[in-house]
């Protein structure tokens, strides 16, 4: 990777940023503990965006050396106050609501409380280096089955139902977005595999105090977007596993 800056950096004049091969030159910028060196920490202006990107990229590589999953769930940024720059590591927003996870055959099966006003737990499958899987193979589908049974036993769930967006529909949505039909952040479906388990509203309220700060039942009665999420079509566990196993056989 090439850092295309051919001048002295005004904010950190001790560093000469030339067009050099990466990441070899950047490897000396950060120590093993990821503490920003003084010449990068104490600057008169924010660090150039290209330099920030390279530092965050190297920091992510360092996190992978500590634990690959740490790099998957971490968000790395360079932040600044009126005196100096900091390298900031925090948990990605899409992992904050995780309620349960279990690792099987190298894959983490993750169960998330809803980030919408809906009575669903969302299940994803995460590879330590590849991230969220877009589809499951046959063996991973069986591991998902075992993970769901663990989750249900832990939280006392029974008689639940499921909502699942099949692989072909997700691929069609991605193709529509690539064709300019909609921005990637506005797609109706995520690209990665995700299974929604319908649970009792009480379970969500019990584990998400924010849902007890307002009248959720009133919102459900009066607001169409909330009515929609509550009326989402669901199918039985056996039926949804048939679709997931069928997806596992499709060409990738």
């Amino acid at each position: 990777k090439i850092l295309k800056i051919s001048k002295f950096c005004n904010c950190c004049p001790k560093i000469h940023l030339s067009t050099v091969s990466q990441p070899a030159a950047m490897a000396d910028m950060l120590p093993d503990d990821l503490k920003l060196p003084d010449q990068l920490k104490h600057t008169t202006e924010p660090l150039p965006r290209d330099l920030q990107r390279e530092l965050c990229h190297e920091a992510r590589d360092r996190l992978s050396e500590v634990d690959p999953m740490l790099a998957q769930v971490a968000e790395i940024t360079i932040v600044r106050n009126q005196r100096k720059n900091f390298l900031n590591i925090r948990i990605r927003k899409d992992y904050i609501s995780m309620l349960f996870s279990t690792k099987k055959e190298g894959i983490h099966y993750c169960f998330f409380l809803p980030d919408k006003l809906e009575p669903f737990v969302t299940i994803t499958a995460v590879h330590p280096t590849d991230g969220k899987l877009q589809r499951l193979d046959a063996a991973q589908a069986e591991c998902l089955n075992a993970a769901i049974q663990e989750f249900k036993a832990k939280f006392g769930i029974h008689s639940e139902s499921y909502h699942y967006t099949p692989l072909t529909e997700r691929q069609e949505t991605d193709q529509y977005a690539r064709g300019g039909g909609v921005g990637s952040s506005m797609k109706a479906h995520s690209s990665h595999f995700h299974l929604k388990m319908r649970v009792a509203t009480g379970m969500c309220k019990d584990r998400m105090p924010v849902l007890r700060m307002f009248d959720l039942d009133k919102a459900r009665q009066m607001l169409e977007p909330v009515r929609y999420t509550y009326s989402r079509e669901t199918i039985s566990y056996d039926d949804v596993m048939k679709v997931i196993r069928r997806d596992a056989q499709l060409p990738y």
Side-chain angles (χ1 to χ4, degrees):
K1 195 170 182 179
I2 303 299
L3 180 62
K4 296 182 178 178
I5 302 178
S6 300
K7 63 179 181 180
F8 281 94
C9 177
N10 293 328
C11 66
C12 37
K14 295 181 180 180
I15 303 175
H16 181 253
L17 300 173
S18 57
T19 303
V20 293
S21 175
Q22 301 297 319
M26 294 301 299
D28 295 331
M29 288 287 189
L30 290 174
D32 289 343
D33 65 358
L34 295 184
K35 180 180 179 181
L36 281 179
D38 285 344
Q39 66 267 34
L40 295 177
K41 182 184 297 183
H42 301 286
T43 59
T44 58
E45 301 173 13
L47 296 175
R49 290 186 181 277
D50 284 347
L51 179 55
Q52 290 188 41
R53 282 193 291 269
E54 292 299 332
L55 289 169
C56 290
H57 178 78
E58 184 186 341
R60 186 168 298 282
D61 288 343
R62 297 288 178 86
L63 295 187
S64 294
E65 295 171 4
V66 175
D67 189 309
M69 276 307 300
L70 176 58
Q72 289 295 334
V73 304
E75 179 179 84
I76 307 169
T77 55
I78 305 293
V79 297
R80 178 179 176 81
N81 63 21
Q82 61 269 37
R83 292 176 297 276
K84 57 186 178 180
N85 304 298
F86 301 86
L87 198 151
N88 195 24
I89 302 174
R90 57 188 177 187
I91 302 298
R92 280 172 38 181
K93 290 181 179 179
D94 51 329
Y95 282 95
I96 292 295
S97 64
M98 185 187 296
L99 178 63
F100 175 80
S101 72
T102 181
K103 185 178 182 181
K104 299 186 180 301
E105 302 297 330
I107 303 297
H108 294 264
Y109 296 86
C110 305
F111 296 69
F112 298 88
L113 291 168
D115 60 358
K116 303 175 183 177
L117 297 180
E118 63 177 14
F120 287 92
V121 167
T122 300
I123 309 165
T124 64
V126 185
H127 187 278
T129 56
D130 297 337
K132 293 178 182 178
L133 301 182
Q134 291 199 351
R135 56 90 58 83
L136 306 185
D137 61 27
Q140 290 162 352
E142 299 315 311
C143 288
L144 170 70
N145 177 29
I148 289 174
Q149 301 312 314
E150 284 185 31
F151 177 78
K152 290 173 57 178
K154 180 177 179 64
F155 292 96
I157 295 172
H158 55 84
S159 303
E160 79 288 359
S161 58
Y162 295 82
H163 177 83
Y164 175 61
T165 304
L167 176 62
T168 52
E169 185 172 343
R170 284 182 276 128
Q171 290 173 331
E172 289 169 358
T173 302
D174 287 344
Q175 185 176 4
Y176 173 65
R178 286 193 296 269
V182 68
S184 59
S185 63
M186 309 232 354
K187 291 189 305 175
H189 305 302
S190 300
S191 301
H192 62 265
F193 168 87
H194 55 287
L195 171 65
K196 288 181 176 288
M197 175 192 292
R198 177 72 185 256
V199 297
T201 298
M203 176 180 176
C204 297
K205 283 186 173 182
D206 184 56
R207 288 162 177 80
M208 298 179 68
V210 65
L211 297 180
R212 303 198 297 269
M213 296 176 67
F214 58 91
D215 192 334
L216 179 57
D217 290 335
K218 186 176 181 180
R220 178 181 175 183
Q221 294 169 9
M222 299 183 62
L223 304 176
E224 194 280 333
V226 184
R227 287 198 301 269
Y228 170 77
T229 58
Y230 267 80
S231 63
R232 202 187 294 271
E233 182 180 354
T234 61
I235 58 178
S236 70
Y237 178 72
D238 289 341
D239 286 343
V240 81
M241 287 305 300
K242 288 178 183 177
V243 180
I244 292 171
R245 291 182 176 117
R246 185 166 62 242
D247 277 356
Q249 306 303 321
L250 293 176
Y252 187 49

